[in-house]
């Protein structure tokens, strides 16, 4: 399958997912985001169990955490959330009125914040423990490199699919 066909297929997928605002929120909320989170959680758990031993130098740990917080893994979740939040709140305003709106918005916001925090603390842990493996790797290739190390050669298809879903979620 050549690149042009893949690009066209990806753009058509985005188009059909974006036809209606109501469908966007439901598709991302019910299917794409949970699949993305569970896939990344699976990768995190496998990578944590296969992580190299503890770091011996405490200044290296602090430096690893600092770099992880500043650069991340180039996932764009925070940037995408700014754009997606306005669409989400306009959808919630249509469905719920008054006090229902606040009750409905608070619980998912707390749950979402907790789940993303778990994911990023997992990334910090991986960054610190896989430091020797990813120190010369560009930020966008860190997660695939960790996946290759922890999952073996089967990681290529898995990480490609996870990244495609992540890009689709962000694009939508």
């Amino acid at each position: 399958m050549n690149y042009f066909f893949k690009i066209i297929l990806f753009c058509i997928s985005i188009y059909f997912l974006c036809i209606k605002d109501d469908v966007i929120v439901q598709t991302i909320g019910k299917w794409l985001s949970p699949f993305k989170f569970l896939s990344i959680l699976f990768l995190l758990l496998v990578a944590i169990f296969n992580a190299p031993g503890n770091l011996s130098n405490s200044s290296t740990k602090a430096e690893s955490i600092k770099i992880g917080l500043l650069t991340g893994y180039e996932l764009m979740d925070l940037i995408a959330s700014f754009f997606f939040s306005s669409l989400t709140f306009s959808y919630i305003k249509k469905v719920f009125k008054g006090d229902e709106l606040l009750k409905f918005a608070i619980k998912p916001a707390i749950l979402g914040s907790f789940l993303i925090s778990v994911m990023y603390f997992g990334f910090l842990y991986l960054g610190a423990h896989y430091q020797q493996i990813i120190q010369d790797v560009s930020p966008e290739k860190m997660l695939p490199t960790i996946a290759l190390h922890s999952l073996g050669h089967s990681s290529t298809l898995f990480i490609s699919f996870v990244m495609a879903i992540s890009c689709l979620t962000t694009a939508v």
Side-chain angles (χ1 to χ4, degrees):
M1 193 183 301
N2 63 21
Y3 290 113
F4 182 73
F5 181 71
K6 291 177 185 177
I7 292 169
I8 296 296
L9 183 64
F10 191 76
C11 291
I12 289 171
S13 300
I14 292 169
Y15 172 76
F16 281 114
L17 290 170
C18 293
I19 289 177
K20 289 183 161 183
D21 289 350
D22 297 348
V23 175
I24 294 172
V25 173
Q26 291 176 354
T27 302
I28 290 176
K30 287 183 181 179
W31 301 105
L32 295 176
S33 291
F35 180 78
K36 174 183 165 183
F37 178 77
L38 291 174
S39 300
I40 291 174
L41 183 64
F42 171 76
L43 175 61
L44 284 172
L45 291 174
V46 170
I48 286 170
F49 287 116
N50 292 323
N54 290 336
L55 300 172
S56 59
N57 188 350
S58 62
S59 66
T60 307
K61 288 181 188 178
E63 186 66 25
S64 296
I65 290 172
K66 178 184 170 189
I67 291 170
L69 286 171
L70 294 176
T71 62
Y73 287 84
E74 305 291 323
L75 294 176
M76 290 184 51
D77 288 330
L78 182 61
I79 295 170
S81 68
F82 286 123
F83 294 107
F84 185 63
S85 63
S86 64
L87 181 63
T88 304
F89 282 116
S90 64
Y91 173 75
I92 291 172
K93 282 181 185 178
K94 281 188 214 175
V95 176
F96 297 98
K97 304 292 181 212
D99 291 338
E100 288 180 335
L101 174 67
L102 187 60
K103 288 178 186 177
F104 182 78
I106 294 290
K107 289 177 186 176
I110 292 171
L111 177 64
S113 298
F114 173 75
L115 293 176
I116 287 180
S117 296
V118 166
M119 188 171 70
Y120 277 97
F121 279 118
F123 288 149
L124 286 172
Y125 180 88
L126 293 182
H129 285 272
Y130 284 87
Q131 170 190 337
Q132 297 298 323
I133 296 168
I134 62 172
Q135 68 184 1
D136 296 326
V137 176
S138 60
E140 69 273 4
K141 292 181 182 175
M142 287 180 180
L143 197 56
T145 302
I146 291 171
L148 179 63
H149 185 271
S150 60
L151 294 173
H153 291 290
S154 63
S155 69
T156 305
L157 183 60
F158 177 76
I159 201 74
S160 298
F161 194 67
V162 170
M163 293 232 177
I165 293 295
S166 296
C167 290
L168 184 65
T169 303
T170 303
V172 169

